[in-house]
């Protein structure tokens, strides 16, 4: 979860694409990218996006 938290903070403060950020913080041996690819494969990334979308919708409905 720490990588997700770090990535979300970093991504919100830059105009760089997510993959540019990944390249900047990835280890030379590829362990970071391997973990990210596994999260994508297992649907974790889309689950996080869906969760954030629902949170925003609920917040907007509360006005």
């Amino acid at each position: 979860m720490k990588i997700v938290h770090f990535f979300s903070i970093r991504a919100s403060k830059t105009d760089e694409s997510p993959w540019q950020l990944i390249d900047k913080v990835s280890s030379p041996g590829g362990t970071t990218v391997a973990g990210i690819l596994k999260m994508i494969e297992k649907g974790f990334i889309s689950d996080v996006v869906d969760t954030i979308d629902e949170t925003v919708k609920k917040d907007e409905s509360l006005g």
Side-chain angles (χ1 to χ4, degrees), residues 2-61:
K2 288 181 182 181
I3 192 170
V4 174
H5 178 72
F6 167 79
F7 191 78
S8 65
I9 290 170
R10 185 81 189 263
S12 70
K13 296 181 179 183
T14 185
D15 291 331
E16 294 176 287
S17 75
W19 289 109
Q20 288 172 314
L21 292 174
I22 289 167
D23 285 342
K24 284 186 171 184
V25 300
S26 295
S27 58
T31 56
T32 304
V33 172
I36 290 168
L37 291 175
K38 183 56 75 172
M39 288 191 297
I40 291 169
E41 177 188 319
K42 296 294 186 178
F44 179 76
I45 302 296
S46 61
D47 288 347
V48 170
V49 170
D50 290 347
T51 300
I52 292 168
D53 286 346
E54 287 301 315
T55 303
V56 170
K57 283 180 192 176
K58 180 63 176 181
D59 183 62
E60 289 172 347
S61 75

